[in-house]
Amino acid sequence: MKKAHVLLFDGYADWEIGNVLAEIRRLGQKEVISVGFTQEPVTSMGGLNVTPDMALADVRPKEVLILILPGGYLWEGEYPQNLIDPLVRQLQDQQVPVAGICAATTALARSGILFGKKHTSNSIKYLSDRVADYSGHNDYMDQPAVRDGHVITASGLAAVEFTMEILSELDLATPEMRTLWFEAFKHGNYPEDH
């Protein structure tokens, strides 16, 4: 059975992926695997210490339901691009969804998978300033989260929208349940009959 894979690294933005990981497991009944650049323990921005289940080099694309990249300052500096880019491109070639939020959108842009796809980020200036050869201006959407061609991107302020796009991409739960979830978590509209 395919599993959701989430890349964790020192300083990853833990709050950006909290909802989506919980709902992949709760609503979607799918397993989540944590992946690190190595299997050494990492610490999130919030101080959570985690030992990844596996190293990025050991990921088998045929076992990946989706690859989720949280934001974090790592993406704004040096990182093992030689490890992440080939995997991201291979997953896209196999039509396996890849999702990046906040600064992780810069990694997706550098990998080349945003080319020709509608996408978003923290702002178009944010992407342009941090990705030297960024050329996706015509495909940039000024929206909280965007899904196109098995690629999901989101602003760092849009963790709920990011979750909704991933749940929709993976067709987890019913459309009605997803709408109820979104209304509850985004707008505080908890359904009275639940």
Side-chain angles (χ1 to χ4, degrees), residues 2-52:
K2 291 188 172 190
K3 300 168 185 173
H5 288 56
V6 59
L7 182 65
L8 304 181
F9 47 85
D10 277 323
Y12 74 91
D14 39 14
W15 70 92
E16 293 175 346
I17 55 172
N19 284 325
V20 72
L21 297 183
E23 299 310 338
I24 285 173
R25 289 175 48 85
R26 186 178 73 93
L27 289 178
Q29 307 274 307
K30 303 292 183 186
E31 192 173 341
V32 174
I33 298 291
S34 60
V35 180
F37 287 108
T38 70
Q39 279 193 274
E40 292 299 311
V42 298
T43 304
S44 73
M45 273 191 196
L48 182 65
N49 295 307
V50 179
T51 301

Side-chain angles (χ1 to χ4, degrees), residues 111-151:
S111 76
I113 69 164
L114 296 187
F115 185 76
K117 291 184 175 68
K118 301 295 181 193
H119 61 273
T120 194
S121 181
N122 294 332
S123 71
I124 195 162
K125 181 177 183 340
Y126 178 83
L127 268 183
S128 298
D129 287 352
R130 286 161 181 81
V131 181
D133 58 351
Y134 176 69
S135 61
H137 297 81
N138 291 337
D139 291 316
Y140 187 87
M141 312 273 305
D142 192 17
Q143 296 178 4
V146 173
R147 177 167 49 109
D148 186 18
H150 307 294
V151 175

Side-chain angles (χ1 to χ4, degrees), residues 73-108:
Y73 295 124
L74 169 89
W75 304 120
E76 295 178 354
E78 296 289 321
Y79 63 91
Q81 199 171 343
N82 62 317
L83 293 178
I84 191 71
D85 287 3
L87 176 61
V88 165
R89 287 193 288 262
Q90 186 176 8
L91 291 172
Q92 272 297 281
D93 288 346
Q94 295 176 13
Q95 298 187 337
V96 175
V98 176
I101 184 169
C102 195
T105 58
T106 65
L108 297 183

